[in-house]
Amino acid sequence: MPKILRGHILCLHYRNSLTQVQLSNYLNVEAPTITRTLTRLEEMGWIIRSEGDDKRERYVSLSPAAIERFPQWLQAARDLEAVALRDLDENELAVFNRVLKKMTENLNTQA
């Protein structure tokens, strides 16, 4: 699975069904970008989109195939995380997280 899609799958796994707007807001992704990504995931057979109460509202959930594959994807992500964090002590990780948080805040407040 392409890296860009991992956050979407993870979010839908833990939150079950969300509207496209909710998913877009949760992932901090613009509407056109989320629409393109979801179309791609749907074509790959990993998500199902369904109409909501309002015709403009679309719900997104994982397909049965994605639910079945999720444990493999999660294990692969954990394995990759273990490699990435190898030889980092708690201090280094704390500094990294603080810097990353500041950078994200800077980007979110950019005019």
Side-chain angles (χ1 to χ4, degrees), residues 47-63:
I47 65 155
I48 298 169
R49 287 195 265 193
S50 56
E51 289 187 19
D53 299 330
D54 181 332
K55 287 195 180 224
R56 297 170 294 170
E57 188 176 66
R58 301 277 303 207
Y59 278 91
V60 183
S61 58
L62 293 181
S63 69

Side-chain angles (χ1 to χ4, degrees), residues 77-90:
R78 287 180 176 155
D79 292 346
L80 183 61
E81 180 182 46
V83 170
L85 298 178
R86 184 180 53 224
D87 300 328
L88 291 176
D89 63 35
E90 287 183 32

Side-chain angles (χ1 to χ4, degrees), residues 8-58:
H8 299 68
I9 297 291
L10 194 62
C11 181
L12 289 171
H13 174 77
Y14 288 112
R15 294 184 173 251
N16 297 318
S17 182
L18 293 172
T19 66
Q20 286 187 203
V21 171
Q22 289 170 325
L23 184 60
S24 176
N25 290 340
Y26 183 80
L27 296 172
N28 198 24
V29 176
E30 303 224 359
T33 303
I34 198 81
T35 300
R36 283 191 306 272
T37 303
L38 292 177
T39 297
R40 195 165 149 209
L41 284 170
E42 190 172 36
E43 289 169 354
M44 295 167 71
W46 301 133
I47 65 155
I48 298 169
R49 287 195 265 193
S50 56
E51 289 187 19
D53 299 330
D54 181 332
K55 287 195 180 224
R56 297 170 294 170
E57 188 176 66
R58 301 277 303 207

